[in-house]
Amino acid sequence: MMKNKKNQQKKPPFNQYWIFGSVIIAFIILNFFSGSGTEKSNITTPSKFFNFVKDGDVDKIEIVNKREVYVFLTNDALLKDVHRNSSGKSILSIAKLTPNYTFEFGDLQNFENKLSATSREFNQDIEVNYVTKQNIWGDILISMLPFILIIAIWIFIMRRMSSGTGGAGGQIFNIGKSKAKLFDANAKVKVTFQDVAGLEGAKEEVQEIVDFLKNPKKYTALGGKIPKGALLIGSPGTGKTLLAKAVAGEAKVPFFTISGSDFVEMFVGVGASRVRDMFEQAKKHSPCIVFIDEIDAVGRHRGAGLGGGHDEREQTLNQLLVEMDGFEENLGVIVIAATNRPDVLDPALLRPGRFDRQVMVGLPDIKGREQILNVHLKKVPIDKTVNSEVIARGTPGFSGADLANLVNEAALLAARNNVKKVSQSELDYAKDKIMMGAERKSMILNDETKRITAYHEAGHAIVGLNLPDHDPVYKVTIIPRGGALGVTMFLPEEDIYMKSKKAILSQITTLFGGRVAEEIINGKEAITTGASNDIERASELARNMVTKWGFSEELGTLKYDDEDESPFLGRTAASKKRTFSDETAQKIDFEVRSIIQTCYEKAGTILSKNLDKLHNMADALLKYETIDQEQISDIMAGAFPREKNDDNQKGKENNKVKTSSSSKPVQDS
């Protein structure tokens, strides 16, 4: 048994850099022990050398590479005391004749002339040999150095490029391996269905898949087949990924998770290879779940883009289609994907047999928002004043991510105020900050700008309060927030899923309330650019009424929208032809202009009848900067607004955004 255990022990990975290091060290050693580096001689000077010549001690010399002289003494000279330590010895224990002295000279011609003259003068016969020595290993090393550097740089780049591609050691050969993370029974995922609030319908859909994986006989006994794939569709922040994490926490089966962008690389064929590898791993761990987040990164329409659609992304998609429902069945492998762009997905991906079930993960209703708030409020200390139902009622259109951000902003505010618990006032402040933007305290407005802004915002509020099917006014402020100088915020009393023609006309009329108020107070020549965003939104609503929603009696219930779709969104690159004539286009423009003009005149009529209230509300805004529902009610009743309380004072943090029925703020420039 001990032997088997030893055999099962993994050997430490071999580091290839040891090979390169060993080769370099070998070159250095060989270079050191070859050529002149292997010899050890006494170094002398040219003047001493010529004294040796005069004394007749020199037997022969070697002029090496025309720059260095090797001096060999006679046998009689070696017996002299002055040359006792001059005998050359080899560093290696090899019998080898070495020079007794060495030295370098300057000019070769001068050295030869002086040696010849000294030899004749003292009648010395000295043998002179000219030697050319080369360091072979040094030359080889120098010649190979560029190749060594190129190889080293190439290995470095390849290791860096493949370091994040998954697989053992992140080697280049593993670049086609799947990057999916595996969560098995040992990997504890703390998120469960209890942490997913406000998504009861979606939870039931995916819970059925989890239940099938735990008890397959319960379904197969009746001949039922579990869907091969489930597509989670919803706006950003609604909890699609959180729902997938809950599936991983609830399912007692292996769970693979990967992002759609992880399939695509700069190398051709990598995406398809990773898809194959991911499903091969999934089959080995079946039954299991594969979760692909943001599948629109690889699942967009084929044939899109310029110059043909046969690209790397399409190859990846084709492989994904084959793996999900091809000739080879993936028994026990269920694919769950998430996207907020179902409109750009390829139809082949959405057909039964691949993503059989499409689960809508929409925005939570008031009960769902309350449940989500309670989940997040458990994570922060709160006092007795906190009422999650009130906050849920005042946050229509908020997603789960928005509500989580609201609680976090409230906690940060409480920390800045040095309080130990989060109260209702901090939550209200956080709500206003998210809906209307942060207050720009550094922006200082002069008195005239404040006056114009006050009348502008008062115009919005008064017009909205005198129109049918319009949301109540929540707050009005002239404190700059975001890109706006002031905000009139309308907040619906309940969730609204569709709008009537009357409600849309009321919204357009309210948008022009600010522009009309400026015109009444200052005249046509003194109107400002503050209504630019109002005009843009009103024009868009009016055109949609005519071209999309069929609200025009003249043009009828036809769709005249001819907006070209971008080929980079997964659609065809061919330009769409306009489906109506030039005469119809003129009628559309006339109808849009007529709607705008009617709403503009209606806003003027309302403000003319309520001119005293317009002045009172503007004065209140100049005094308090922010007024709430109670103060607005006082003004509309003909009374001066009551003094602000502490909670209202915190609401002074509101931005210059007006929210419509969809709870989206409308900003004035």
Side-chain angles (χ1 to χ4, degrees):
M1 291 298 293
M2 291 296 293
K3 187 177 180 181
N4 293 335
K5 288 183 179 180
K6 290 182 179 179
N7 293 335
Q8 293 176 358
Q9 292 179 352
K10 294 183 178 180
K11 295 181 179 180
F14 179 74
N15 194 335
Q16 59 187 354
Y17 292 111
W18 283 105
I19 298 177
F20 295 99
S22 302
V23 171
I24 293 173
I25 293 173
F27 273 120
I28 294 173
I29 294 175
L30 290 172
N31 181 59
F32 181 79
F33 287 110
S34 63
S36 60
T38 62
E39 301 171 351
K40 183 178 179 181
S41 304
N42 292 326
I43 299 175
T44 186
T45 61
S47 59
K48 290 183 178 181
F49 165 73
F50 286 109
N51 289 331
F52 299 157
V53 174
K54 294 176 183 178
D55 296 336
D57 296 338
V58 179
D59 182 31
K60 66 177 181 178
I61 63 172
E62 290 182 355
I63 299 177
V64 182
N65 299 331
K66 298 181 180 181
R67 63 179 179 86
E68 190 177 12
V69 176
Y70 289 179
V71 182
F72 297 86
L73 302 179
T74 62
N75 293 330
D76 293 337
L78 294 174
L79 300 176
K80 297 180 179 180
D81 293 337
V82 69
H83 302 302
R84 189 175 299 274
N85 298 323
S86 66
S87 58
K89 295 180 180 179
S90 176
I91 296 177
L92 302 177
S93 51
I94 300 175
K96 182 179 179 181
L97 182 62
T98 59
N100 302 105
Y101 296 99
T102 62
F103 67 92
E104 293 185 357
F105 55 85
D107 184 69
L108 177 62
Q109 187 65 41
N110 292 336
F111 175 77
E112 290 177 336
N113 294 336
K114 189 174 181 179
L115 178 63
S116 178
T118 305
S119 299
R120 287 196 303 269
E121 182 180 355
F122 294 94
N123 195 25
Q124 298 293 332
D125 185 16
I126 300 176
E127 181 182 351
V128 179
N129 298 319
Y130 293 87
V131 180
T132 301
K133 290 190 176 183
Q134 296 180 349
N135 192 336
I136 299 176
W137 291 106
D139 294 340
I140 293 175
L141 178 62
I142 293 173
S143 62
M144 292 185 64
L145 187 60
F147 299 98
I148 294 174
L149 290 175
I150 292 172
I151 294 172
I153 294 172
W154 180 80
I155 293 175
F156 175 76
I157 295 174
M158 291 297 103
R159 288 182 66 90
R160 294 283 299 205
M161 293 177 62
S162 61
S163 59
T165 59
Q171 300 296 322
I172 185 64
F173 301 104
N174 294 325
I175 193 171
K177 299 294 183 181
S178 172
K179 299 175 67 176
K181 297 180 180 178
L182 173 61
F183 295 90
D184 53 16
N186 298 324
K188 296 181 180 180
V189 181
K190 298 181 180 180
V191 180
T192 63
F193 285 137
Q194 294 181 353
D195 300 316
V196 182
L199 302 175
E200 300 303 325
K203 280 197 293 186
E204 290 179 3
E205 295 281 349
V206 296
Q207 201 163 7
E208 186 178 277
I209 297 174
V210 176
D211 187 48
F212 175 84
L213 293 171
K214 292 181 178 179
N215 306 294
K217 294 182 179 180
K218 175 181 175 182
Y219 297 87
T220 56
L222 299 174
K225 295 182 179 179
I226 199 67
K228 291 185 178 181
L231 182 63
L232 306 180
I233 302 172
S235 303
T238 53
K240 301 183 296 294
T241 305
L242 179 65
L243 192 61
K245 290 181 180 178
V247 173
E250 293 285 345
K252 304 301 181 183
V253 297
F255 186 92
F256 293 88
T257 177
I258 191 173
S259 172
S261 60
D262 289 334
F263 291 112
V264 183
E265 285 282 355
M266 62 179 292
F267 301 108
V268 177
V270 170
S273 176
R274 289 180 177 176
V275 171
R276 286 191 296 270
D277 185 70
M278 181 182 67
F279 278 91
E280 287 177 2
Q281 294 182 38
K283 292 173 186 177
K284 295 178 182 178
H285 295 84
S286 64
C288 68
I289 296 176
V290 176
F291 174 65
I292 305 175
D293 200 5
E294 305 295 345
I295 194 173
D296 52 278
V298 294
R300 299 191 176 214
H301 279 269
R302 289 170 291 180
L306 304 174
H310 190 71
D311 56 10
E312 174 65 13
R313 181 186 56 77
E314 286 199 6
Q315 295 182 37
T316 306
L317 175 59
N318 291 335
Q319 187 63 42
L320 181 62
L321 296 175
V322 172
E323 293 291 345
M324 290 188 67
D325 188 24
F327 281 101
E328 186 178 355
E329 295 188 3
N330 294 320
L331 299 176
V333 179
I334 297 175
V335 182
I336 300 177
T339 181
N340 52 30
R341 294 295 309 277
D343 56 310
V344 303
L345 294 180
D346 194 278
L349 198 62
L350 302 177
R351 73 158 176 83
R354 292 193 174 110
F355 285 112
D356 314 73
R357 183 172 297 182
Q358 299 183 20
V359 182
M360 294 299 302
V361 186
L363 294 172
D365 55 11
I366 182 171
K367 182 181 285 186
R369 292 196 297 273
E370 184 179 356
Q371 294 174 353
I372 295 172
L373 281 169
N374 290 332
V375 170
H376 294 293
L377 287 173
K378 291 179 181 178
K379 303 175 183 178
V380 298
I382 57 176
D383 63 13
K384 297 180 180 179
T385 62
V386 174
N387 189 335
S388 59
E389 183 181 357
V390 174
I391 301 174
R393 191 172 298 277
T395 52
F398 272 45
S399 65
D402 293 329
L403 295 171
N405 186 37
L406 187 151
V407 175
N408 183 63
E409 286 287 347
L412 295 177
L413 176 63
R416 288 199 300 269
N417 295 337
N418 295 319
V419 295
K420 302 298 182 182
K421 294 184 178 180
V422 177
S423 64
Q424 187 74 19
S425 61
E426 279 86 19
L427 290 169
D428 289 338
Y429 168 79
K431 178 187 69 174
D432 294 344
K433 181 179 179 181
I434 293 172
M435 298 179 75
M436 297 186 295
E439 180 185 87
R440 291 191 292 167
K441 298 181 180 180
S442 60
M443 190 173 186
I444 301 175
L445 306 180
N446 57 43
D447 294 339
E448 180 62 19
T449 303
K450 282 186 177 180
R451 189 184 72 84
I452 295 175
T453 304
Y455 276 103
H456 185 106
E457 301 305 326
H460 285 304
I462 293 173
V463 171
L465 289 168
N466 287 274
L467 288 172
D469 294 348
H470 202 284
D471 301 327
V473 179
Y474 173 62
K475 281 182 183 179
V476 184
T477 181
I478 58 172
I479 298 176
R481 290 177 173 272
L485 300 180
V487 177
T488 301
M489 184 175 182
F490 300 93
L491 196 63
E493 295 178 336
E494 58 185 10
D495 296 318
I496 298 177
Y497 303 103
M498 57 183 178
K499 298 178 184 178
S500 64
K501 179 180 179 180
K502 186 187 296 183
I504 297 174
L505 289 173
S506 296
Q507 187 177 348
I508 296 175
T509 305
T510 302
L511 287 168
F512 285 118
R515 172 67 172 260
V516 174
E518 291 186 30
E519 183 179 336
I520 292 175
I521 299 301
N522 300 323
K524 289 187 177 181
E525 299 299 324
I527 56 177
T528 66
T529 60
S532 60
N533 182 259
D534 300 328
I535 296 173
E536 180 182 352
R537 292 200 60 192
S539 302
E540 182 181 1
L541 287 172
R543 186 165 292 277
N544 288 339
M545 288 180 66
V546 177
T547 61
K548 290 183 178 181
W549 301 330
F551 288 162
S552 172
E553 294 181 2
E554 176 70 20
L555 295 170
T557 54
L558 292 177
K559 184 177 182 296
Y560 298 98
D561 185 24
D562 61 342
E563 295 180 356
D564 293 337
E565 294 176 330
S566 173
F568 302 104
L569 296 181
R571 302 293 189 181
T572 178
S575 304
K576 294 177 65 177
K577 295 182 179 180
R578 196 171 66 179
T579 57
F580 51 88
S581 63
D582 293 338
E583 182 181 355
T584 303
Q586 292 179 357
K587 290 183 178 180
I588 292 173
D589 294 338
F590 178 80
E591 284 291 305
V592 173
R593 192 179 297 111
S594 177
I595 293 173
I596 295 295
Q597 187 64 28
T598 302
C599 293
Y600 193 91
E601 293 174 356
K602 189 174 183 179
T605 302
I606 294 174
L607 290 177
S608 297
K609 293 180 180 180
N610 297 273
L611 195 57
D612 56 336
K613 297 175 183 177
L614 178 64
H615 289 298
N616 292 338
M617 188 173 292
D619 292 339
L621 286 170
L622 291 172
K623 179 180 179 181
Y624 299 112
E625 292 186 319
T626 299
I627 56 178
D628 57 18
Q629 287 177 306
E630 294 180 350
Q631 293 173 305
I632 294 171
S633 299
D634 293 340
I635 295 172
M636 298 306 293
F640 197 79
R642 70 195 70 180
E643 292 293 327
K644 298 171 66 68
N645 54 41
D646 293 337
D647 290 342
N648 289 337
Q649 191 65 31
K650 289 199 177 189
K652 205 173 167 183
E653 306 292 334
N654 297 347
N655 169 322
K656 158 130 242 245
V657 181
K658 300 184 291 274
T659 59
S660 66
S661 304
S662 61
S663 77
K664 294 182 179 179
V666 182
Q667 295 185 352
D668 299 329
S669 2

